[in-house]
Amino acid sequence: MSSPQKTALVISAHSADFVWRAGGAITAHVKQGWKVRIICLSYGERGESAKLWRVPNMTMDRVKDTRQREAQAAADILGAEIEFWDLEDYPLRISDDTLFRLVDTYRTLQPEFVLSHSEHDPYNFDHPLAMRAAQEARILAQAEGHNPGQKILGAPPVYAFEPHQTEQCQWQPNTFLDITDVWKLKRQAIECMAGQEHLWDYYTRVALQRGVQAKRNIGITAKRHIEYAEAYMRLTPLVVEQL
Amino acid sequence: MSSPQKTALVISAHSADFVWRAGGAITAHVKQGWKVRIICLSYGERGESAKLWRVPNMTMDRVKDTRQREAQAAADILGAEIEFWDLEDYPLRISDDTLFRLVDTYRTLQPEFVLSHSEHDPYNFDHPLAMRAAQEARILAQAEGHNPGQKILGAPPVYAFEPHQTEQCQWQPNTFLDITDVWKLKRQAIECMAGQEHLWDYYTRVALQRGVQAKRNIGITAKRHIEYAEAYMRLTPLVVEQL
Amino acid sequence: MSSPQKTALVISAHSADFVWRAGGAITAHVKQGWKVRIICLSYGERGESAKLWRVPNMTMDRVKDTRQREAQAAADILGAEIEFWDLEDYPLRISDDTLFRLVDTYRTLQPEFVLSHSEHDPYNFDHPLAMRAAQEARILAQAEGHNPGQKILGAPPVYAFEPHQTEQCQWQPNTFLDITDVWKLKRQAIECMAGQEHLWDYYTRVALQRGVQAKRNIGITAKRHIEYAEAYMRLTPLVVEQL
Amino acid sequence: MSSPQKTALVISAHSADFVWRAGGAITAHVKQGWKVRIICLSYGERGESAKLWRVPNMTMDRVKDTRQREAQAAADILGAEIEFWDLEDYPLRISDDTLFRLVDTYRTLQPEFVLSHSEHDPYNFDHPLAMRAAQEARILAQAEGHNPGQKILGAPPVYAFEPHQTEQCQWQPNTFLDITDVWKLKRQAIECMAGQEHLWDYYTRVALQRGVQAKRNIGITAKRHIEYAEAYMRLTPLVVEQL
Amino acid sequence: MSSPQKTALVISAHSADFVWRAGGAITAHVKQGWKVRIICLSYGERGESAKLWRVPNMTMDRVKDTRQREAQAAADILGAEIEFWDLEDYPLRISDDTLFRLVDTYRTLQPEFVLSHSEHDPYNFDHPLAMRAAQEARILAQAEGHNPGQKILGAPPVYAFEPHQTEQCQWQPNTFLDITDVWKLKRQAIECMAGQEHLWDYYTRVALQRGVQAKRNIGITAKRHIEYAEAYMRLTPLVVEQL
Amino acid sequence: MSSPQKTALVISAHSADFVWRAGGAITAHVKQGWKVRIICLSYGERGESAKLWRVPNMTMDRVKDTRQREAQAAADILGAEIEFWDLEDYPLRISDDTLFRLVDTYRTLQPEFVLSHSEHDPYNFDHPLAMRAAQEARILAQAEGHNPGQKILGAPPVYAFEPHQTEQCQWQPNTFLDITDVWKLKRQAIECMAGQEHLWDYYTRVALQRGVQAKRNIGITAKRHIEYAEAYMRLTPLVVEQL
């Protein structure tokens, strides 16, 4: 009898964040047989679609539609499920109803880990809010008295993926994920984001830098070759049987 | 063909620190087939032998001798190698010669990880100094131009074990080690420390509290039973292939 | 002519928090002739009543009722007044009306100090929210233009009592309260919490550890015997006439 | 053809904050030909008008009216525009409508920089909220999809002016502004605040202390004479062509 | 039978520091019957005697002599004992011999508390070094094995007095001492420092600002009048029997 | 009459650090007519010359000689003066004599600013030590009583240039320098470092990332084009006449 498929949850404030910041983790786990679900809280239609808005006669619906198609294409390449909750952005607002919907997601999916944004970002208020909701919903999903009878959630670790200007965001990576083997897929997913072409090479360079640093952190004498990596800030302690 | 035995290094400012703070990790890894070497930089003869000094006509030599026998007995129970460098305590001082001796140890032992004290401790200046030496020696051991021709060191992770008053020491645990299976041995090793009997129950309670917390961090729904744990602050990032 | 009775205010997110975290302070001050009022913002009915929810056919009303009876019994043992505001938990939400009700409490009670939760807690979002309300209401109660004519509040110090995993909560104790003489009462109050028996020994060990630390902070040469203590993080400066 | 007039924006939680904390910056830039607009989110009618409330038969309307006249007089002396949004204080609350009104202000004014409160203040919850709104509105004003067609905002630096008890507010000055030449005007503006006379000398001393510190930071060998200064915490990086 | 006289220890890097930063505490405790001993590690002859060095034909001996006479006069006014250890400044260096001399002082004096500099100061490296020595010597003085037979030290609290630019020094006051009643004496002591006349009013303003803040922290409704205060950062927890 | 040539000082722990981390700043200021002096405290012969040590029969002298020639060539391209103090590396040690030599340099050169390493770096202990010496020597150079009669130093700002893994080093950039116009020269200087070819593209990517971030911090509406930048952490406050 096979063990059940492991799952992971990615909570993305805008529809492209998951690609730049966690595309490698998503597809690496898919490749290892996991189911990964991405929730895009908004399309990033106001704040992260500058190029589209420079097209004459652009409308909000067309922006959202374009963003959705790009994100869907990226998710398909990465092999992940994706949901679009269309909560609007700049500013993103999270009602208690949305929070409970996230709780339901946690309880249904029972993820092994959850990825979301940094807890602080002076350049972007939607990102920390998404992370806050990811954390609060996780706590509610653990409460036996919330919808009693449902299967409660365990304690999946929470990771903050990389923000745009790390040092301004009190974000310090403590976990590097080797994504060398899946880099090509991540780059393909990145290239789905036609409206943010200026970021393609930016995040390629991020992956290369993190690759060098990951290699440095296992030591130059280590045999493992790492060229591309993603960096994460794990927010919850690790429990191990071997250091 | 068998793989070579893995090794770990424990750098202890005084001769009993390794027992309270890392006894579980030491014996757990020994049980898993590792070689663990403990270096006691001093005997803690001045600052951590209060009870002995209250014995009439006590001398420095007798204090050191007693402390060495206690620590040796504890190491034997844990299954670890132990060295006594007798550098004196309160204050501990680390010369460059001592530093290079530590470098040699790193290079010869090639440990997979190293354990030492917290980086800050307003109640104890010997502890952070030991950690500083552990870190600086690790860096020197990585330098190709230090004793060229020797095998250089990789990048073993550095963990700070638990200080006495964690919150005053800027010490935040990010790694919990389950020591339930080896707790009895740790307690036996603790009981070798005849001169510090007031700490036996203190560190037993520490292990129980960390056990509860470890269990909480894997989730109450997890099947793994954890009763005793040790907490560590990992100072260097983790490089992984799965989150 | 006697001086007026001194008062203190305890703001507890859930109905058992005040017992684990401040039971010693409450009863110690009651013993010294103070009036102590506890406000339980919620019963902790969803998030901190796991054991009750495992009873077949449990209902929300029965959980709340049980929790209220347990907390009332504990308050009676400690000798404190207790109010149940039943605001619901997981998530706790504080409306401005609740805030103004807290302001009224401050103004009527005129407490010498206030106790509430840590300002940060990644495992629990209700706790920091309760502290935030405690602080904001205190500020509003100082404003001359809020309900002009009422007696305004002075500047009672605010203390954060001990969270479950201190080091993850940016909580650093700067004040230890000796509770040796009242420990028996605190333990009796703890044992009222039938639904959380797994925490009885946990918080007994906390009190013992804090006792050892308190003793260490007055010095082993001090004559005062301390066996049990509670630790607090005072958030506001102390004004003294002698250091 | 002359270059367009430069502008600056000051967001003040209560109607007197801009005087104590930024009066020198305001009038110094006015003197250099800038247009400076001050937005008073509230009159500080409840929390910062203690003296007025001690006048018999005082009413809310009279307090607000007095506060407005004082602030208007101060703004006139400083040469700045001033708006009173009358959002009420203690507690100040910022709706999304208010936020969008701030966005409109940013877009219309296109300020070169914005001044507001410290991000933290345990003694005052209105102040950090005003700063939070100043930052969030700035971000929204940069979003191409917010009211498409309007001229978007660039990236004006954000400065936190000096809170009352700096060290309790996580506020560290990284920028000193020499206000020696405009000090007389600032003091005149300060003296408009009849209701807070106890603060006149307090903030005069602040200016003198900051003057000494500014002088110290350019070096005692520097020729520039500085007697009065204002201190600011710049929150966003500086981009330069010369260090 | 009277209780023994209480004592306090002040460790000052340069010969004038104790006046500006702790003059009020010193004389307030003397007035309450304490013995206060000041140790001036250096005269501040190189780094804090600028005015003297501008006198033609000045020599090192004359600078030291002048500084000693000024500091002695100040100590006499404050009613304290003073020792000059003449260790030289800019840079101050602390040998182990000096450390042991400090240990002897602690053991002989058995102070109830110790005052020294802030732990960090980017403008002054002698100050943090003095504090470091104050802390390390205190720890050594507690060690039973250091000069066994001597009476060991208890655990006197350590306070960091106010540095020149507090916010740059990670210094946050948590204790305000009311010095209103002794202000005149402190000002007289300040005026002994003929070579640093530019600081007389600077530190008078510091005392006034801290007075306003102290008053604010006890509440405007409190009856106690406070005009002048000194601020301290207590580094070690307080142990109390009443909050 | 022309104003005197402005000068800047760069203090580099190892002989290549100045190229990767400050090459753009050096040549940009040289281009603007400044004199820039680089001090290489060591050659980085042990810890940063891995490739050279893999050459058969390599000697310490040949490593140092190669490193000196590379650094000299780079300095020539950048147009800067360079000095090699040959203090040895891994570990670097700074004696008081070296410190006084640095003081002499400050006093002779009278730099407008000084560049050195980050204050913290868990991967490299030589780097923070170099910065510490840079700061302490700067303070000593300001002391009137150090070599009285010499012209004392003013208060040149201190900048920490970019370490290898910024987030692990408590290094947060607050100043971006546009180096677009001088990038070609920096890249040429980089290519002089034959022994560290693996870093050429790493630091080219750093410059591109910082360029994107600098552009973002002036706003996408700004006309200035920035492609390459260097990031700095300014440690001392800025004193300005306009915000």
Side-chain angles (χ1 to χ4, degrees):
Chain A
M1 198 190 85
S2 67
S3 63
Q5 189 184 30
K6 287 185 170 178
T7 62
L9 178 60
V10 182
I11 298 176
S12 180
H14 310 105
S15 64
D17 290 324
F18 74 89
V19 185
W20 324 112
R21 309 186 194 293
I26 293 167
T27 196
H29 286 82
V30 167
K31 219 177 137 188
Q32 293 173 44
W34 294 47
K35 175 162 79 176
V36 180
R37 185 174 307 163
I38 301 154
I39 293 175
C40 293
L41 298 175
S42 81
Y43 292 108
E45 62 270 19
R46 288 198 188 87
E48 306 195 350
S49 306
K51 201 174 158 188
L52 288 169
W53 286 109
R54 291 177 201 141
V55 175
N57 303 317
M58 184 52 62
T59 66
M60 190 59 80
D61 282 349
R62 281 177 56 207
V63 170
K64 287 184 178 182
D65 185 62
T66 305
R67 295 281 292 179
Q68 177 166 345
R69 277 186 289 105
E70 291 177 2
Q72 183 67 58
D76 290 346
I77 288 168
L78 300 173
E81 299 176 1
I82 189 164
E83 297 180 9
F84 300 95
W85 288 17
D86 192 12
L87 299 173
E88 304 200 339
D89 74 328
Y90 282 68
L92 176 67
R93 294 289 180 254
I94 309 266
S95 68
D96 277 356
D97 281 346
T98 297
L99 205 59
F100 295 135
R101 189 176 170 194
L102 270 177
V103 175
D104 287 341
T105 301
Y106 271 108
R107 289 202 165 170
T108 310
L109 192 65
Q110 294 283 337
E112 299 290 316
F113 64 81
V114 57
L115 309 181
S116 193
H117 294 267
S118 61
E119 290 187 294
H120 303 275
D121 192 335
Y123 297 97
N124 194 313
F125 278 33
D126 294 355
H127 289 176
L129 180 63
M131 173 51 112
R132 186 177 167 81
Q135 290 179 290
E136 188 166 21
R138 174 180 173 274
I139 293 169
L140 301 186
Q142 295 173 325
E144 304 245 0
H146 176 82
N147 292 346
Q150 282 187 352
K151 184 181 173 195
I152 64 165
L153 183 69
V158 181
Y159 293 91
F161 42 58
E162 179 158 350
H164 195 71
Q165 286 184 246
T166 60
E167 301 98 349
Q168 315 295 332
C169 297
Q170 303 174 36
W171 180 89
Q172 181 185 19
N174 52 23
T175 310
F176 288 90
L177 179 74
D178 180 0
I179 61 164
T180 308
D181 290 348
V182 296
W183 169 250
K184 276 190 189 164
L185 284 173
K186 176 165 179 178
R187 176 73 196 199
Q188 281 176 37
I190 282 176
E191 293 186 7
C192 296
M193 301 295 132
Q196 290 166 291
E197 196 174 340
H198 62 290
L199 293 177
W200 295 6
D201 286 350
Y202 187 87
Y203 281 101
T204 298
R205 289 189 300 262
V206 166
L208 285 164
Q209 303 301 83
R210 295 304 180 189
V212 172
Q213 293 170 9
K215 178 64 186 156
R216 193 186 189 209
N217 277 292
I218 57 171
I220 56 168
T221 57
K223 296 213 178 63
R224 200 198 312 172
H225 167 74
I226 301 177
E227 191 174 355
Y228 297 93
E230 278 174 353
Y232 291 89
M233 181 177 185
R234 186 182 167 120
L235 301 184
T236 43
L238 194 65
V239 181
V240 298
E241 299 191 327
Q242 191 179 91
L243 293 176
Chain B
M1 199 190 84
S2 68
S3 63
Q5 190 183 30
K6 286 185 171 179
T7 61
L9 178 61
V10 182
I11 298 176
S12 182
H14 311 103
S15 65
D17 291 323
F18 74 90
V19 184
W20 323 112
R21 311 183 193 295
I26 292 167
T27 194
H29 286 82
V30 167
K31 218 178 139 187
Q32 294 173 43
W34 293 48
K35 175 163 78 175
V36 180
R37 183 175 308 162
I38 302 154
I39 293 175
C40 294
L41 298 176
S42 81
Y43 293 107
E45 62 270 20
R46 289 199 186 86
E48 308 196 348
S49 305
K51 201 174 160 189
L52 288 170
W53 286 109
R54 290 176 202 144
V55 175
N57 302 317
M58 183 52 62
T59 65
M60 190 60 79
D61 282 349
R62 280 178 56 208
V63 170
K64 286 184 179 182
D65 186 60
T66 305
R67 297 279 293 177
Q68 176 164 345
R69 277 186 290 106
E70 291 177 2
Q72 183 68 56
D76 290 347
I77 286 168
L78 300 174
E81 299 177 0
I82 189 165
E83 297 181 8
F84 300 96
W85 288 17
D86 192 12
L87 298 173
E88 306 200 338
D89 74 327
Y90 282 68
L92 176 66
R93 294 291 180 252
I94 310 266
S95 67
D96 277 357
D97 280 347
T98 297
L99 204 60
F100 294 135
R101 189 176 170 194
L102 270 176
V103 174
D104 286 343
T105 301
Y106 270 108
R107 288 200 166 172
T108 309
L109 192 65
Q110 295 284 338
E112 298 290 316
F113 64 81
V114 57
L115 308 182
S116 193
H117 294 267
S118 61
E119 290 187 296
H120 304 274
D121 192 337
Y123 298 95
N124 193 313
F125 277 33
D126 293 356
H127 289 176
L129 180 63
M131 173 51 111
R132 186 177 168 81
Q135 290 179 291
E136 188 165 21
R138 174 180 172 273
I139 293 169
L140 301 185
Q142 295 173 325
E144 304 246 359
H146 176 82
N147 292 346
Q150 283 187 351
K151 185 181 173 196
I152 63 166
L153 183 69
V158 181
Y159 293 90
F161 42 57
E162 180 158 350
H164 195 72
Q165 285 183 250
T166 61
E167 303 97 349
Q168 315 295 332
C169 297
Q170 303 174 34
W171 180 89
Q172 182 186 18
N174 52 24
T175 310
F176 288 89
L177 180 75
D178 180 1
I179 61 165
T180 308
D181 291 348
V182 295
W183 168 252
K184 277 189 188 165
L185 284 172
K186 177 166 179 177
R187 176 73 196 199
Q188 282 177 37
I190 281 177
E191 293 184 7
C192 296
M193 301 295 132
Q196 290 166 290
E197 195 173 341
H198 61 291
L199 293 178
W200 295 5
D201 286 350
Y202 187 88
Y203 281 102
T204 297
R205 290 190 298 263
V206 165
L208 284 164
Q209 303 300 83
R210 296 304 180 188
V212 173
Q213 293 170 10
K215 178 64 184 156
R216 192 186 190 209
N217 277 292
I218 58 170
I220 55 169
T221 58
K223 298 213 177 64
R224 199 197 314 173
H225 167 75
I226 302 177
E227 190 174 355
Y228 296 93
E230 278 174 354
Y232 291 90
M233 182 177 182
R234 187 182 167 118
L235 301 183
T236 45
L238 194 64
V239 181
V240 297
E241 299 190 329
Q242 191 177 93
L243 291 176
Chain C
M1 197 190 83
S2 68
S3 62
Q5 189 183 31
K6 286 186 172 178
T7 62
L9 178 61
V10 182
I11 298 176
S12 181
H14 311 105
S15 65
D17 291 322
F18 74 90
V19 185
W20 322 113
R21 310 184 194 294
I26 292 167
T27 195
H29 286 82
V30 167
K31 220 179 138 186
Q32 294 173 44
W34 293 48
K35 174 163 78 176
V36 179
R37 184 175 308 164
I38 301 154
I39 293 175
C40 294
L41 298 176
S42 80
Y43 292 108
E45 62 270 21
R46 289 199 188 86
E48 307 195 348
S49 306
K51 201 175 159 188
L52 288 170
W53 286 109
R54 290 177 202 141
V55 175
N57 303 317
M58 184 51 62
T59 65
M60 190 60 78
D61 282 349
R62 280 178 56 208
V63 170
K64 287 185 178 180
D65 185 62
T66 306
R67 296 280 293 177
Q68 176 165 345
R69 276 184 291 105
E70 291 176 2
Q72 182 68 58
D76 289 347
I77 287 168
L78 300 174
E81 300 177 358
I82 188 164
E83 297 180 8
F84 299 96
W85 288 18
D86 192 12
L87 298 173
E88 307 201 337
D89 74 327
Y90 282 67
L92 175 67
R93 294 290 180 253
I94 309 265
S95 68
D96 278 356
D97 281 347
T98 297
L99 204 60
F100 295 135
R101 189 175 170 194
L102 271 176
V103 174
D104 287 342
T105 301
Y106 271 108
R107 288 203 165 168
T108 309
L109 192 66
Q110 295 282 338
E112 299 290 316
F113 64 81
V114 57
L115 309 182
S116 193
H117 294 267
S118 62
E119 290 187 294
H120 304 274
D121 193 335
Y123 297 96
N124 193 313
F125 278 34
D126 294 355
H127 288 177
L129 181 63
M131 174 50 112
R132 186 177 167 82
Q135 290 180 289
E136 188 166 21
R138 173 180 173 274
I139 293 169
L140 300 185
Q142 296 172 325
E144 305 245 1
H146 177 82
N147 292 347
Q150 282 187 352
K151 185 181 174 197
I152 63 167
L153 183 70
V158 181
Y159 292 90
F161 43 57
E162 180 158 349
H164 194 72
Q165 286 183 249
T166 60
E167 303 97 349
Q168 314 296 332
C169 297
Q170 303 174 36
W171 180 89
Q172 182 186 16
N174 52 25
T175 310
F176 288 89
L177 179 75
D178 180 1
I179 61 165
T180 308
D181 291 348
V182 295
W183 168 250
K184 277 189 189 166
L185 284 173
K186 177 166 179 176
R187 176 73 196 199
Q188 282 177 36
I190 282 176
E191 293 185 6
C192 296
M193 301 294 133
Q196 290 167 290
E197 195 173 341
H198 61 291
L199 293 178
W200 296 5
D201 286 350
Y202 187 88
Y203 281 101
T204 297
R205 291 190 299 262
V206 166
L208 284 164
Q209 303 301 82
R210 295 306 180 189
V212 173
Q213 293 170 10
K215 177 65 185 157
R216 191 185 191 211
N217 277 291
I218 55 170
I220 55 169
T221 58
K223 296 211 179 63
R224 199 198 313 173
H225 167 75
I226 302 178
E227 190 174 356
Y228 296 93
E230 278 174 352
Y232 291 90
M233 181 176 183
R234 186 182 167 119
L235 301 184
T236 44
L238 194 65
V239 180
V240 297
E241 298 191 329
Q242 191 178 91
L243 292 176
Chain D
M1 199 189 83
S2 67
S3 64
Q5 189 184 29
K6 286 185 170 178
T7 62
L9 178 62
V10 182
I11 297 176
S12 183
H14 311 104
S15 65
D17 290 323
F18 73 90
V19 184
W20 323 112
R21 310 184 195 294
I26 292 167
T27 195
H29 286 83
V30 167
K31 217 177 140 188
Q32 294 173 43
W34 293 49
K35 175 162 78 177
V36 180
R37 184 174 308 163
I38 301 154
I39 293 176
C40 294
L41 298 175
S42 80
Y43 292 108
E45 62 271 17
R46 289 198 188 87
E48 307 196 348
S49 305
K51 201 173 160 188
L52 288 169
W53 286 109
R54 291 177 202 142
V55 175
N57 303 317
M58 183 52 62
T59 65
M60 191 59 80
D61 282 349
R62 279 177 58 207
V63 170
K64 287 185 177 181
D65 185 61
T66 306
R67 295 281 293 178
Q68 177 166 343
R69 276 185 291 104
E70 290 177 2
Q72 182 69 57
D76 289 348
I77 287 167
L78 300 174
E81 299 176 1
I82 189 165
E83 296 181 9
F84 300 96
W85 288 17
D86 192 12
L87 299 173
E88 306 200 337
D89 74 327
Y90 281 67
L92 176 67
R93 293 290 180 253
I94 309 266
S95 67
D96 278 357
D97 281 346
T98 298
L99 204 60
F100 295 135
R101 188 175 170 195
L102 270 176
V103 175
D104 287 342
T105 301
Y106 271 108
R107 288 202 165 170
T108 309
L109 192 66
Q110 295 284 336
E112 299 290 316
F113 64 81
V114 57
L115 308 182
S116 193
H117 293 267
S118 61
E119 290 187 296
H120 304 275
D121 192 337
Y123 297 96
N124 194 312
F125 277 33
D126 294 355
H127 289 176
L129 180 64
M131 173 50 112
R132 186 177 166 82
Q135 289 179 292
E136 188 166 21
R138 174 180 172 273
I139 292 169
L140 301 185
Q142 295 173 326
E144 304 246 359
H146 176 83
N147 292 346
Q150 282 187 351
K151 185 181 174 194
I152 63 165
L153 183 69
V158 181
Y159 293 91
F161 42 58
E162 181 158 348
H164 194 71
Q165 285 183 251
T166 60
E167 301 98 348
Q168 314 295 331
C169 297
Q170 303 173 36
W171 179 89
Q172 181 186 18
N174 53 24
T175 310
F176 288 90
L177 179 74
D178 180 1
I179 61 164
T180 308
D181 291 348
V182 295
W183 169 251
K184 278 189 188 166
L185 284 173
K186 177 165 179 178
R187 175 75 197 199
Q188 282 177 36
I190 281 176
E191 294 185 6
C192 296
M193 300 296 131
Q196 289 166 291
E197 195 173 341
H198 61 292
L199 292 178
W200 296 6
D201 285 351
Y202 187 88
Y203 280 102
T204 297
R205 290 189 299 262
V206 166
L208 284 164
Q209 302 302 82
R210 296 305 180 188
V212 172
Q213 293 171 10
K215 178 64 184 158
R216 193 186 188 210
N217 277 291
I218 57 171
I220 56 169
T221 57
K223 298 214 178 60
R224 199 198 313 173
H225 167 74
I226 302 178
E227 190 174 354
Y228 297 93
E230 278 174 354
Y232 291 90
M233 181 176 184
R234 186 182 168 121
L235 301 184
T236 44
L238 193 65
V239 181
V240 297
E241 300 191 326
Q242 191 178 92
L243 292 176
Chain E
M1 198 190 84
S2 68
S3 63
Q5 189 182 31
K6 287 186 171 177
T7 62
L9 178 61
V10 182
I11 298 176
S12 181
H14 311 104
S15 64
D17 290 323
F18 73 89
V19 185
W20 323 113
R21 310 185 194 293
I26 292 167
T27 195
H29 285 82
V30 167
K31 221 178 137 187
Q32 294 172 44
W34 293 48
K35 174 161 80 175
V36 180
R37 184 175 307 164
I38 301 154
I39 293 175
C40 294
L41 298 175
S42 80
Y43 293 107
E45 62 270 19
R46 289 198 187 88
E48 307 195 349
S49 306
K51 200 174 161 188
L52 289 169
W53 286 108
R54 291 178 200 140
V55 175
N57 302 318
M58 183 52 62
T59 66
M60 189 61 79
D61 282 349
R62 281 178 56 208
V63 170
K64 287 185 177 181
D65 185 63
T66 306
R67 296 280 293 179
Q68 177 166 343
R69 277 186 288 105
E70 291 177 3
Q72 183 68 58
D76 290 347
I77 287 168
L78 300 174
E81 299 177 0
I82 189 165
E83 297 181 8
F84 300 96
W85 289 17
D86 192 11
L87 299 172
E88 305 200 338
D89 74 327
Y90 282 68
L92 175 67
R93 294 290 180 253
I94 309 267
S95 67
D96 278 356
D97 282 346
T98 298
L99 205 59
F100 295 134
R101 189 175 170 194
L102 270 176
V103 174
D104 287 342
T105 301
Y106 271 107
R107 288 202 165 170
T108 310
L109 192 66
Q110 295 283 337
E112 299 290 317
F113 64 81
V114 57
L115 308 182
S116 193
H117 294 267
S118 60
E119 288 187 295
H120 304 275
D121 192 336
Y123 297 96
N124 193 312
F125 277 34
D126 293 355
H127 289 177
L129 180 63
M131 173 51 111
R132 188 179 166 80
Q135 290 179 289
E136 190 167 19
R138 174 180 172 274
I139 293 168
L140 301 185
Q142 295 173 326
E144 305 245 0
H146 176 83
N147 292 346
Q150 282 187 354
K151 183 179 175 197
I152 64 165
L153 183 69
V158 181
Y159 293 90
F161 42 58
E162 180 158 349
H164 194 71
Q165 286 184 248
T166 60
E167 302 98 348
Q168 315 296 330
C169 297
Q170 303 174 36
W171 181 88
Q172 183 185 16
N174 52 24
T175 310
F176 287 90
L177 179 75
D178 180 1
I179 61 165
T180 308
D181 291 348
V182 295
W183 168 251
K184 275 190 190 166
L185 284 173
K186 177 166 179 176
R187 175 74 195 198
Q188 280 177 37
I190 282 176
E191 293 185 6
C192 296
M193 301 295 133
Q196 290 166 290
E197 195 174 341
H198 62 290
L199 292 178
W200 295 6
D201 286 349
Y202 187 88
Y203 281 101
T204 298
R205 289 189 301 261
V206 166
L208 284 164
Q209 303 301 82
R210 295 305 180 188
V212 172
Q213 293 170 12
K215 177 65 185 158
R216 193 185 188 210
N217 277 293
I218 56 170
I220 55 168
T221 57
K223 296 214 177 62
R224 198 198 315 172
H225 167 74
I226 302 177
E227 190 174 356
Y228 296 92
E230 278 174 353
Y232 290 90
M233 181 176 183
R234 186 183 167 117
L235 300 184
T236 44
L238 194 65
V239 181
V240 297
E241 299 191 329
Q242 191 179 92
L243 293 176
Chain F
M1 198 190 85
S2 67
S3 61
Q5 190 183 29
K6 287 185 170 177
T7 62
L9 178 62
V10 182
I11 298 176
S12 182
H14 311 104
S15 65
D17 290 323
F18 73 89
V19 184
W20 322 113
R21 310 185 195 292
I26 292 167
T27 195
H29 286 83
V30 167
K31 219 179 137 188
Q32 294 173 44
W34 293 48
K35 175 162 79 176
V36 180
R37 185 175 306 164
I38 302 154
I39 293 175
C40 294
L41 298 175
S42 80
Y43 292 108
E45 62 271 18
R46 288 198 188 87
E48 306 195 351
S49 305
K51 201 173 159 189
L52 288 169
W53 286 108
R54 290 176 201 143
V55 175
N57 303 316
M58 183 53 62
T59 65
M60 190 60 81
D61 282 349
R62 279 177 57 207
V63 170
K64 287 184 177 180
D65 186 61
T66 306
R67 295 280 293 178
Q68 177 165 345
R69 276 185 290 106
E70 290 177 3
Q72 183 68 56
D76 290 347
I77 286 168
L78 300 174
E81 299 176 1
I82 189 165
E83 296 181 9
F84 300 95
W85 287 17
D86 192 12
L87 299 172
E88 304 200 339
D89 73 327
Y90 282 67
L92 176 66
R93 293 290 180 253
I94 309 267
S95 67
D96 278 356
D97 282 346
T98 298
L99 204 60
F100 295 135
R101 188 175 170 195
L102 270 177
V103 174
D104 287 342
T105 302
Y106 270 108
R107 288 201 165 170
T108 310
L109 192 65
Q110 295 283 337
E112 299 290 317
F113 64 81
V114 57
L115 309 182
S116 193
H117 294 267
S118 62
E119 289 187 295
H120 305 274
D121 193 336
Y123 297 96
N124 193 314
F125 278 33
D126 294 355
H127 289 175
L129 180 64
M131 174 50 112
R132 186 177 167 83
Q135 289 179 290
E136 187 166 21
R138 174 181 172 274
I139 292 169
L140 301 185
Q142 296 173 325
E144 304 245 359
H146 176 82
N147 291 347
Q150 282 187 352
K151 185 181 173 194
I152 65 166
L153 184 69
V158 181
Y159 293 90
F161 42 58
E162 180 157 349
H164 195 71
Q165 285 183 248
T166 60
E167 301 98 348
Q168 314 295 333
C169 298
Q170 302 174 35
W171 180 89
Q172 181 186 20
N174 52 24
T175 310
F176 288 90
L177 179 75
D178 180 0
I179 61 165
T180 309
D181 291 349
V182 295
W183 168 251
K184 277 190 188 164
L185 284 171
K186 176 165 180 178
R187 175 74 196 198
Q188 282 177 36
I190 281 176
E191 293 185 7
C192 295
M193 300 296 132
Q196 289 166 292
E197 194 174 341
H198 62 292
L199 293 177
W200 295 6
D201 286 350
Y202 187 88
Y203 281 102
T204 297
R205 290 190 299 262
V206 166
L208 284 164
Q209 302 303 81
R210 296 304 181 188
V212 172
Q213 293 171 9
K215 177 64 185 158
R216 193 186 189 208
N217 277 291
I218 56 170
I220 56 169
T221 57
K223 295 211 178 65
R224 200 198 311 172
H225 167 75
I226 302 178
E227 191 173 356
Y228 296 94
E230 278 174 354
Y232 291 90
M233 182 177 183
R234 186 182 167 121
L235 301 183
T236 44
L238 194 64
V239 181
V240 297
E241 299 191 327
Q242 191 177 91
L243 292 175

